[in-house]
């Protein structure tokens, strides 16, 4: 399900000193820059999230590096961290927001591979190790020996993969 924002925090420039206000999307001026989601959109997104069993989030909803534009990202992080759902965060900025705002251990999986996760959702398979990672996050638990080299990983799926001999079978199933 794709849900689009109904309102946004807007500014004329992206800076800590820029004046800002909330507007409905239909009321944007040509020179408005959307810098965060508005309160109505936060509520709308939370309503959708609480009904979800699997959530894949790629990209923060605001310029979270500037405090007064971080409200939407913080609200969604807080809400997702308390849901009984599989929660996957992809993309360097989203991962950074989750970690910097104290949610590092609150999600099923966090990765900096935003582009790769979008390719997976698009249907591209290839040999991209991140594609394998997303499949793992959805269906099993994975452990990577290096956060910079995702080429090798071990898949644990309690009911099927009990030992190292079954690693090849696990990799093939999720590839």
């Amino acid at each position: 399900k794709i849900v689009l924002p109904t309102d946004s925090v807007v500014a004329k420039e992206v800076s800590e000193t820029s004046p800002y206000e909330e507007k409905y999307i239909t009321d944007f001026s040509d020179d408005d820059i959307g810098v965060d989601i508005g309160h109505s959109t936060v509520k709308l997104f939370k309503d959708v999230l609480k009904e979800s069993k699997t959530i894949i989030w790629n990209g923060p909803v605001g310029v979270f590096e500037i405090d007064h534009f971080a409200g939407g990202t913080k609200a969604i992080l807080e809400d997702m961290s308390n849901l009984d759902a599989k929660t996957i965060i992809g993309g360097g900025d989203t991962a950074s927001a989750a970690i910097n705002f104290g949610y590092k251990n609150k999600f099923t999986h966090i990765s900096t591979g935003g582009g790769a996760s979008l390719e997976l959702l698009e249907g591209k398979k290839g040999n991209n190790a991140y594609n394998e990672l997303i499949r793992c996050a959805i269906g099993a638990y994975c452990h990577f020996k290096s956060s910079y080299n995702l080429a090798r990983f071990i898949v644990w799926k309690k009911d099927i993969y009990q030992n190292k001999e079954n690693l090849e079978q696990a990799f093939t199933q999720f590839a």
Side-chain angles (χ1 to χ4, degrees):
K1 182 174 191 176
I2 297 174
V3 180
L4 299 174
T6 57
D7 63 336
S8 180
V9 175
V10 298
K12 302 299 181 195
E13 64 180 49
V14 180
S15 75
E16 290 185 18
T17 59
S18 177
Y20 57 93
E21 63 181 314
E22 244 180 72
K23 286 186 177 181
Y24 286 102
I25 299 298
T26 55
D27 295 334
F28 268 39
S29 301
D30 288 342
D31 59 345
D32 282 338
I33 301 169
V35 291
D36 198 3
I37 57 174
H39 288 90
S40 295
T41 299
V42 168
K43 183 183 178 333
L44 173 67
F45 285 4
K46 285 182 174 187
D47 289 343
V48 171
L49 292 172
K50 72 180 175 187
E51 301 299 323
S52 303
K53 296 191 184 323
T54 301
I55 302 162
I56 301 172
W57 181 12
N58 188 318
V61 295
V63 185
F64 71 92
E65 299 89 346
I66 297 176
D67 193 50
H68 49 263
F69 303 149
T73 298
K74 287 179 181 179
I76 300 301
L77 283 167
E78 174 66 26
D79 196 58
M80 280 181 60
S81 73
N82 291 308
L83 295 174
D84 184 23
K86 289 186 181 182
T87 52
I88 301 162
I89 292 179
D93 288 337
T94 317
S96 176
I99 292 165
N100 289 331
F101 293 136
Y103 295 95
K104 181 178 179 179
N105 299 312
K106 300 287 186 175
F107 300 96
T108 306
H109 180 72
I110 297 177
S111 175
T112 58
S117 63
L118 291 176
E119 285 182 6
L120 173 68
L121 293 172
E122 189 179 317
K124 294 181 181 177
K125 294 195 178 183
N127 285 329
N128 185 322
Y130 187 75
N131 290 349
E132 311 311 325
L133 170 67
I134 291 294
R135 287 183 184 92
C136 276
I138 293 169
Y141 294 97
C142 299
H143 171 71
F144 290 85
K145 296 198 179 259
S146 166
S147 60
Y148 298 105
N149 180 2
L150 303 180
R152 296 172 130 312
F153 64 89
I154 300 170
V155 178
W156 286 278
K157 186 158 179 154
K158 185 177 164 189
D159 55 341
I160 299 173
Y161 309 110
Q162 301 287 330
N163 54 47
K164 290 181 183 178
E165 288 77 31
N166 290 331
L167 178 60
E168 186 63 35
Q169 179 187 0
F171 185 84
T172 303
Q173 179 179 346
F174 289 103

